[in-house]
């Protein structure tokens, strides 16, 4: 095996491992968004209810007409409701928290 084919093989294996890891995170993220965690597995919750909806950073930034960096700056300064961790690499906000926060800003 020459150096070029060896490097190609190593790169291919690394890329495949990274893709597998990202897919696992994505599957977990989707599963968490679709299936609410419940102590009682027999309870079902209507996922169309607003409280079960998670708003991801890009969607929230679009809703607020701000950039992602401004969104995180506001988060760091405590100007937003607390975010929730969806997976190792994913966060979001509960729609109900955002709606309540917006109504308080509108009133105040």
């Amino acid at each position: 095996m020459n150096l070029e084919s060896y490097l190609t093989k190593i790169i291919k294996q690394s890329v495949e491992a990274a893709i597998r890891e990202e897919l696992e995170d994505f599957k977990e993220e989707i599963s968490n968004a679709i299936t609410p965690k419940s102590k009682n597995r027999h309870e079902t919750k209507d996922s169309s209810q607003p409280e079960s909806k998670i708003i991801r950073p890009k969607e929230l930034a679009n809703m607020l007409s701000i950039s992602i960096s401004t969104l995180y700056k506001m988060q760091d300064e405590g100007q937003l409701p607390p975010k929730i961790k969806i997976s190792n690499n994913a966060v979001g906000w509960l729609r109900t928290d955002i709606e309540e926060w917006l109504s308080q800003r509108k009133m105040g």
Side-chain angles (χ1 to χ4, degrees), residues 25-38:
D25 287 346
F26 185 64
K27 284 183 352 187
E28 181 182 342
E29 179 180 327
I30 289 174
S31 176
N32 288 341
I34 294 173
T35 310
K37 301 287 185 197
S38 174

Side-chain angles (χ1 to χ4, degrees), residues 8 15 18 21 24 30 45 54 57 68-69 71 84 87 89 102:
T8 302
V15 168
E21 185 177 325
E24 284 302 314
I30 289 174
K45 188 174 182 181
I54 295 174
I68 298 279
S69 59
L71 179 79
I84 57 171
S87 70
N89 299 319
L102 286 171

Side-chain angles (χ1 to χ4, degrees), residues 42-104:
H42 301 291
E43 282 182 29
T44 57
K45 188 174 182 181
D46 181 5
S47 63
S48 66
Q49 294 176 345
E51 62 268 13
S52 64
K53 173 75 171 147
I54 295 174
I55 303 174
R56 297 294 311 273
K58 185 176 181 179
E59 183 181 355
L60 182 55
N62 287 336
M63 279 177 59
L64 300 175
S65 299
I66 59 175
S67 68
I68 298 279
S69 59
T70 300
L71 179 79
Y72 281 113
K73 181 180 177 188
M74 290 175 68
Q75 177 65 46
D76 291 343
E77 293 173 353
Q79 296 178 17
L80 291 173
K83 61 187 174 193
I84 57 171
K85 188 172 184 176
I86 300 168
S87 70
N88 286 341
N89 299 319
V91 297
W93 288 263
L94 291 177
R95 178 174 293 283
T96 53
D97 290 349
I98 295 300
E99 289 172 352
E100 182 180 325
W101 173 77
L102 286 171
S103 67
Q104 288 174 353

